[in-house]
Structures are given as C-alpha cells and as structure tokens.
Amino acid sequence: MHARTRRPWPRSPRPGAPTRLRVGVLAEPWGGNHPSGAVAVAVAQTAALCADLGHEASVDLGVSWEEFVRHSSVLWSANIATWVADTAASTGRAVDHSTLEPQTLAVYRTGTALPALDMVRALDTRNAVTRSVVASMADLDLVLTPTLPDVAAPLGTNTNDIDGFDGHDWTARLFAHSPFTPWANTAGLPAASLPLFQDETTGMPIGIELAAASGREDLVLALAGQLERAAPWIHRRPAVWAG
C-alpha cells in the first residue's frame, strides 16, 4: 500500500455564503475597447450588490496587449490546426471550404505554417502572463469585470469583412470584442459569467464575470450563488427565445 500524499492545493471550505471578501473591480479592459453605457451601469450595480468592495483592481498582464494577442493567436492557431488535421485524418474528410467556415480555415492555415520558434516565444508569454496575473491578485479574493464590453452583437457580426484574414487577424478581432476573459483563461483561473442584467433595448443578457485565484472555485461559486439570489434572472426572457 502507498502512503497517502498531502494535497498539493489548499482544501476548499464547504460551499455556502462567502465571508467578507476582497473583490476588485476591473471596469476598463486592455486594448482600448471601453464598455458601453449599459455594461458600465451593470458593473456598477453588481459592485453595489457585493458587501465589501472598495477595491479598484489593476491586473497586470506582464506584457503588452499587442504581444499577448499575437502570442495567443500562435497558440490558438497551432492547437486548432492539430485538431483539424487529426479529425480530417480520422474521418477522411477534406480540409477546405466544404468542411470549414472561412475563419476556421484561415486559422488552420496559419497554424500549419508556424515556425517552432514562434511556439516557444508564445509559451514564454503565456508563462509571463500567468505569473503576472497571479501576482496582481495576491491581495484580492476575486476580480469582477464585464463579460463583454458591449451587449451581445447580432449573429454574424464577427465574421463580417474577413476576406483576407489569417489566424492572427481573426484572433485580434475576437480579443477586441472580448478583452475581459482571455487573461483568466491564459492564467488558468476559475471564472464564471453571470447574466445578472438585461439590456432594455435588445433584451439580451449583460454578463458579469467573476474570477478567483487558482484552485478557488469555491469562492466563484459561492459569490455567484449569492448574487443570483440577490438579483435572480430565471424569470427574464429576451424578445426571441426557445424554451
């Protein structure tokens, strides 16, 4: 029999209402895509729902936004190219416009052409971002941000005018439309998006993101549950919905 090893992570407390938390509000993203009026109001109202905020979060990426986007696109393109190639090999299907949307095909082609040096530099950037983000959150339990800087765009908005795009162009467009979520993904942090509010004009939900330190899913789920009870959304419906 093997001796039981000690857990390499802290044991999480039982789920329930969170105690007083140090919650930072990150209302302005990198890259200059400022939140719209409706989203900014939603963030302020969520902050008011939390018992003890008073912190203005400043999450340091450790690299420039442009470097972060570029090297993220390297990792995305390489991974997607691998998945597409493996799927094509196992199914016997072609990799072309008959099987892939234009943006996916563009990312695949970028991924197959990447040099190894670009992958190493991208992995170095991911490591630098992870370390910097974790350090930025050392004095906070959670960071609160908008999920998106604007209300949900109509279907197809991201794919308008993408003729000539490569994988880097496509990633840059997605990061511009969603600048608040990639940092947590890159650092491997637990996060959740809550549809706490609804846009009066479109009826679409406005998401609020909560992100915590690595291994602290309990804090995300506990505060998410508390906020849902304070501002429930189960009764809300957009103008067009299925259910």
Side-chain angles (χ1 to χ4, degrees):
M1 296 182 63
H2 297 283
R4 181 175 296 178
T5 58
R6 187 173 64 86
R7 287 170 177 249
W9 60 88
R11 183 182 295 273
S12 297
R14 292 181 181 274
T19 56
R20 305 285 280 188
L21 297 174
R22 301 164 300 170
V23 182
V25 179
L26 181 64
E28 292 291 333
W30 306 269
N33 192 4
H34 302 292
S36 66
V39 173
V41 169
V43 172
Q45 290 178 348
T46 305
L49 288 173
C50 296
D52 186 24
L53 286 171
H55 297 277
E56 182 176 344
S58 177
V59 178
D60 183 9
L61 290 177
V63 300
S64 70
W65 175 249
E66 292 74 20
E67 183 179 356
F68 177 53
V69 173
R70 178 72 179 191
H71 285 162
S72 294
S73 76
V74 169
L75 296 175
W76 281 22
S77 297
N79 278 284
I80 289 173
T82 301
W83 299 333
V84 169
D86 289 349
T87 301
S90 64
T91 61
R93 302 180 69 182
V95 180
D96 56 28
H97 286 288
S98 69
T99 56
L100 296 177
E101 293 183 338
Q103 65 272 22
T104 308
L105 184 59
V107 172
Y108 165 79
R109 289 171 173 166
T110 297
T112 59
L114 288 171
L117 289 178
D118 283 5
M119 280 295 298
V120 172
R121 293 185 180 112
L123 291 171
D124 286 344
T125 294
R126 184 174 68 179
N127 186 37
V129 169
T130 299
R131 291 176 179 273
S132 187
V133 165
V134 169
S136 295
M137 295 184 64
D139 296 324
L140 295 171
D141 295 308
L142 290 149
V143 172
L144 183 155
T145 80
T147 302
L148 297 173
D150 207 342
V151 296
L155 187 65
T157 298
N158 285 339
T159 56
N160 290 337
D161 304 319
I162 62 171
D163 290 343
F165 267 33
D166 63 10
H168 303 306
D169 298 324
W170 175 246
T171 304
R173 171 171 288 190
L174 292 186
F175 275 44
H177 288 181
S178 180
F180 287 104
T181 56
W183 65 274
N185 289 338
T186 298
L189 305 183
S193 176
L194 311 178
L196 284 178
F197 301 93
Q198 189 171 20
D199 182 54
E200 294 181 357
T201 302
T202 64
M204 298 300 290
I206 296 176
I208 299 296
E209 179 187 39
L210 300 175
S214 179
R216 295 313 309 263
E217 284 86 350
D218 61 297
L219 293 181
V220 174
L221 294 173
L223 184 55
Q226 193 174 48
L227 288 172
E228 182 177 1
R229 291 187 292 273
W233 59 79
I234 192 171
H235 62 283
R236 296 201 304 258
R237 299 287 186 274
V240 179
W241 62 283

